[in-house]
Amino acid sequence: MKDITIGIDIGGTNTVFGFIDSNGKSWGEGTIPTQTRERFEDYLKDLFKAIDQTIRNSKEDLRVIGVGIGAPNGNYRTGTIDNAANLRWKGNLDLAKLIGEELKVPVKVTNDANAAALGERIFGGAKDMSDFMVITLGTGLGSGIVVNGDLLYGHDGFAGEVGHIIVRPGGRECGCGRRGCLETYVSATGVKRTAYKMLAKHLGESSLRDVPFNGLTAKMVADAANKGDLLAIEIFAYTGRMLGEALANVASVTSPKAIFFFGGLAKAGDLLFDPVREAMEKNILFLYKDKISLQASELGDDAAVLGASALIWNDKA
Amino acid sequence: MKDITIGIDIGGTNTVFGFIDSNGKSWGEGTIPTQTRERFEDYLKDLFKAIDQTIRNSKEDLRVIGVGIGAPNGNYRTGTIDNAANLRWKGNLDLAKLIGEELKVPVKVTNDANAAALGERIFGGAKDMSDFMVITLGTGLGSGIVVNGDLLYGHDGFAGEVGHIIVRPGGRECGCGRRGCLETYVSATGVKRTAYKMLAKHLGESSLRDVPFNGLTAKMVADAANKGDLLAIEIFAYTGRMLGEALANVASVTSPKAIFFFGGLAKAGDLLFDPVREAMEKNILFLYKDKISLQASELGDDAAVLGASALIWNDKA
């Protein structure tokens, strides 16, 4: 009999699940489409069926001891998904309750950045750390903050929205309805916006001048920078500076031992992290100087499922 | 036999202690000067003597179960005072160790803002709250942040320096060596600096034009505002706006249920809090809108000693 937790990552397109043991080893996994069903309950039925089949197909005798879920707007305090913009089902979805009733085990829900942070703590580079932060750099900027060894949820379950710190009052329009949020500068989308700003501001030649706005990706900017395109390098320097300044401020609140980076944009590596480090150290309060390590996440592509399963393993640690 | 904890507040001028029971009732108190002794050990001997005499003088049979201390640069993780600018003894002072050896009970140390936050949780307005923040508004701006029911110390014991968030890059010079920190705008000193900025900027008459810079106090500005002095009112509006914008950002990190204000400048009341509330709600992410209550601390003038003693009572709660 092998004790496993089910880690579930609910994305806008697919829902991926995996059976994860206490060492982070996977004993089976599966994927179903997230949004083909009109009713949320029917989607869950599909999910239960896929999980059940995967358990039956396993050669090992698996015992499920809990379910951890990373979901957009997943609320740890209530176990619900609250008004997720990129899911078809509106209102507050009783996710933890419905899954718990079916599978008869503890169910925990949080958002993907929080799950990534717990995954880093249980299975990744933060194993010995009780105070650190994970920044996910994708279309937006997400954050999961661990303090005193546990996730910082806040009174309502929605703490850790570092991407929505206003870093430039009156600055770039943000999807949240305000202006100047960090993620409008530091994210794949932010890099794209900065690219166009720089193309307008400077005269220098750049391969990016041949790409229409809707065709441009952060990866194209990174590739150009790695080939020595000066404008592309300046775009990443600017992005890194904005992030470094913001992290210096966040450090004054939470004083983390390390900050881990995860997600598509994080693959730019030192192109991004060198200016982040420089700006953070330049702007940080003397108390925190040279204390915070910036590093890439040690979790691989299955980080979302590992992180979700860590919601349960963290309680057993 | 009455179980009490000793709460000690180490200030630049005086050290105040009190014997506090689990209900926050004081069973004796005393004061000694902080900095008359050249050697830190001699200061502690004076303190032990004063404590011992106060215990002997008590009619009640008191049993000391622990000592909590609020001190400048008090480090919870190490129990030391680290390089406090306003104390004569330099380096790291082994406060918890030395007191523990003498009194043979657990000793905990933190800074005064953290102590105030725990005091609010154990004896004040935050009794049922596990996620809130206390802002102390004096010469500077201090903060104590409680999350998941415990103080946010950070990996090094120095988390919660909200006064040193940079809110205006390149802005006012701060005692920390950087520029644009929140406390250069929001503190008694910040109010004074804003007063002079406004006197320079505007032409309107104001009673403040008759006061030299070194003679001006935040209280004089508050008094003028309460008498209808338009310039003084604008000074508080500006100060409140700066604080409200900063708190909207901090909310994105910690999502507190309430923010309590404490200290001399907090006595300005709605003159300050109305613009804080307005600016915070105007700038906050929709997730947190209309959720955070701003209120005055419910602790009185003995807050520092109560808060220090709460370091011990919090562990028993």
Side-chain angles (χ1 to χ4, degrees), chain B residues 166-314:
Chain B
I166 293 178
V167 294
R168 289 291 179 272
R172 294 182 184 172
E173 288 179 5
C174 182
C176 74
R178 301 176 305 157
R179 281 170 170 271
C181 291
L182 181 61
E183 77 169 19
T184 67
Y185 300 90
V186 184
S187 63
T189 321
V191 164
K192 227 172 109 163
R193 295 170 83 166
T194 300
Y196 277 81
K197 182 185 147 162
M198 296 283 177
L199 288 169
K201 185 172 172 192
H202 298 293
L203 279 170
E205 260 317 299
S206 166
S207 60
L208 304 176
R209 293 202 190 273
D210 296 320
V211 190
F213 189 90
N214 284 330
L216 188 68
T217 65
K219 185 162 186 314
M220 288 164 73
V221 181
D223 289 344
N226 283 325
K227 281 181 194 149
D229 188 307
L230 291 179
L231 210 83
I233 290 171
E234 176 55 21
I235 291 164
F236 272 94
Y238 177 87
T239 308
R241 215 152 55 224
M242 295 296 276
L243 181 52
E245 287 177 15
L247 292 179
N249 274 346
V250 174
S252 282
V253 182
T254 65
S255 188
K257 188 174 173 60
I259 302 172
F260 295 87
F261 297 96
F262 186 79
L265 187 60
K267 290 183 178 147
D270 289 342
L271 197 58
L272 180 63
F273 300 140
D274 283 348
V276 172
R277 194 173 286 114
E278 194 183 324
M280 186 182 80
E281 291 297 340
K282 191 178 159 195
N283 287 281
I284 209 163
L285 183 64
F286 66 93
L287 282 174
Y288 315 116
K289 235 183 221 322
D290 299 323
K291 279 186 183 176
I292 304 172
S293 99
L294 301 184
Q295 46 195 104
S297 164
E298 290 188 11
L299 299 180
D301 289 337
D302 51 352
V305 165
L306 278 175
S309 88
L311 276 167
I312 301 295
W313 287 121
N314 189 48

Side-chain angles (χ1 to χ4, degrees), chain A residues 73 77 130-131 143 145 147-148 150-162 164-169 176 178 181 245 248-258 282-288 291-292, chain B residues 73 77 130-131 143 145 147-148 150-162 164-169 176 178 181 245 248-258 282-288 291-292:
Chain A
N73 286 29
R77 298 268 183 240
S130 52
D131 296 86
S143 63
I145 303 172
V147 295
N148 298 331
D150 211 347
L151 271 174
L152 204 177
Y153 288 113
H155 87 282
D156 56 355
F158 288 123
E161 290 285 350
V162 167
H164 290 286
I165 288 177
I166 293 178
V167 293
R168 289 291 179 271
C176 75
R178 301 177 306 158
C181 292
E245 287 178 15
N249 275 345
V250 174
S252 281
V253 181
T254 65
S255 189
K257 187 174 174 60
K282 190 177 159 197
N283 287 282
I284 209 162
L285 183 64
F286 66 93
L287 282 173
Y288 314 117
K291 281 187 182 175
I292 304 173
Chain B
N73 285 31
R77 298 267 183 240
S130 54
D131 297 86
S143 62
I145 304 173
V147 295
N148 298 332
D150 211 346
L151 272 174
L152 203 176
Y153 288 113
H155 86 282
D156 56 355
F158 288 123
E161 289 285 348
V162 168
H164 290 286
I165 288 177
I166 293 178
V167 294
R168 289 291 179 272
C176 74
R178 301 176 305 157
C181 291
E245 287 177 15
N249 274 346
V250 174
S252 282
V253 182
T254 65
S255 188
K257 188 174 173 60
K282 191 178 159 195
N283 287 281
I284 209 163
L285 183 64
F286 66 93
L287 282 174
Y288 315 116
K291 279 186 183 176
I292 304 172

Side-chain angles (χ1 to χ4, degrees), chain A residues 108-153:
Chain A
K108 301 217 165 179
V109 179
T110 192
N111 68 38
D112 33 358
N114 281 343
L118 271 194
E120 206 68 46
R121 176 165 160 78
I122 304 292
F123 304 120
K127 270 178 193 139
D128 303 319
M129 296 184 193
S130 52
D131 296 86
F132 67 95
M133 179 157 76
V134 169
I135 301 279
T136 63
L137 295 167
T139 316
L141 186 157
S143 63
I145 303 172
V146 170
V147 295
N148 298 331
D150 211 347
L151 271 174
L152 204 177
Y153 288 113

Side-chain angles (χ1 to χ4, degrees), chain A residues 25-53:
Chain A
K25 183 174 181 319
S26 174
W27 295 77
E29 55 260 319
T31 303
I32 65 163
T34 303
Q35 309 212 62
T36 49
R37 297 292 203 157
E38 200 174 319
R39 293 177 62 238
F40 181 64
E41 290 73 11
D42 291 331
Y43 155 73
L44 285 183
K45 272 183 199 157
D46 291 351
L47 181 59
F48 296 144
K49 208 166 139 188
I51 287 173
D52 190 54
Q53 277 173 351

Side-chain angles (χ1 to χ4, degrees), chain A:
Chain A
M1 182 80 90
K2 186 80 201 165
D3 280 0
I4 55 103
T5 68
I6 306 180
I8 303 177
D9 173 44
I10 301 182
T13 309
N14 287 318
T15 296
V16 185
F17 62 88
F19 303 149
I20 310 295
D21 71 15
S22 61
N23 296 315
K25 183 174 181 319
S26 174
W27 295 77
E29 55 260 319
T31 303
I32 65 163
T34 303
Q35 309 212 62
T36 49
R37 297 292 203 157
E38 200 174 319
R39 293 177 62 238
F40 181 64
E41 290 73 11
D42 291 331
Y43 155 73
L44 285 183
K45 272 183 199 157
D46 291 351
L47 181 59
F48 296 144
K49 208 166 139 188
I51 287 173
D52 190 54
Q53 277 173 351
T54 313
I55 289 183
R56 281 169 203 277
N57 290 346
S58 171
K59 284 163 199 157
E60 193 79 14
D61 190 12
L62 301 177
R63 184 173 67 169
V64 179
I65 64 161
V67 178
I69 307 168
N73 286 29
N75 186 333
Y76 181 82
R77 298 268 183 240
T78 58
T80 53
I81 294 178
D82 297 356
N83 304 303
N86 58 347
L87 293 184
R88 66 187 295 178
W89 311 292
K90 298 309 161 201
N92 297 357
L93 308 170
D94 248 340
L95 186 62
K97 184 165 163 276
L98 293 168
I99 293 188
E101 281 170 6
E102 176 75 18
L103 300 179
K104 319 279 187 217
V105 291
V107 181
K108 301 217 165 179
V109 179
T110 192
N111 68 38
D112 33 358
N114 281 343
L118 271 194
E120 206 68 46
R121 176 165 160 78
I122 304 292
F123 304 120
K127 270 178 193 139
D128 303 319
M129 296 184 193
S130 52
D131 296 86
F132 67 95
M133 179 157 76
V134 169
I135 301 279
T136 63
L137 295 167
T139 316
L141 186 157
S143 63
I145 303 172
V146 170
V147 295
N148 298 331
D150 211 347
L151 271 174
L152 204 177
Y153 288 113
H155 87 282
D156 56 355
F158 288 123
E161 290 285 350
V162 167
H164 290 286
I165 288 177
I166 293 178
V167 293
R168 289 291 179 271
R172 294 182 184 172
E173 287 179 6
C174 182
C176 75
R178 301 177 306 158
R179 280 171 171 270
C181 292
L182 181 62
E183 76 169 18
T184 66
Y185 299 91
V186 183
S187 64
T189 321
V191 164
K192 225 171 109 161
R193 295 170 83 166
T194 300
Y196 277 82
K197 184 186 145 161
M198 297 283 176
L199 288 170
K201 187 173 170 192
H202 297 293
L203 279 170
E205 261 319 301
S206 167
S207 59
L208 304 176
R209 292 201 191 274
D210 296 319
V211 189
F213 189 90
N214 283 331
L216 189 68
T217 64
K219 185 163 185 313
M220 288 165 73
V221 181
D223 288 345
N226 283 326
K227 280 181 195 148
D229 188 306
L230 291 178
L231 211 83
I233 291 171
E234 175 56 21
I235 291 164
F236 271 94
Y238 178 87
T239 308
R241 215 152 55 224
M242 296 297 276
L243 181 52
E245 287 178 15
L247 293 180
N249 275 345
V250 174
S252 281
V253 181
T254 65
S255 189
K257 187 174 174 60
I259 302 172
F260 294 87
F261 297 96
F262 186 79
L265 187 59
K267 291 184 177 147
D270 289 341
L271 198 59
L272 180 63
F273 300 141
D274 282 348
V276 172
R277 195 173 287 117
E278 193 183 326
M280 185 181 81
E281 290 297 341
K282 190 177 159 197
N283 287 282
I284 209 162
L285 183 64
F286 66 93
L287 282 173
Y288 314 117
K289 234 182 223 325
D290 299 323
K291 281 187 182 175
I292 304 173
S293 98
L294 302 183
Q295 47 195 103
S297 165
E298 289 188 11
L299 299 180
D301 288 339
D302 51 351
V305 165
L306 278 176
S309 88
L311 276 168
I312 301 296
W313 287 121
N314 189 48
D315 287 350
K316 315 273 172 193

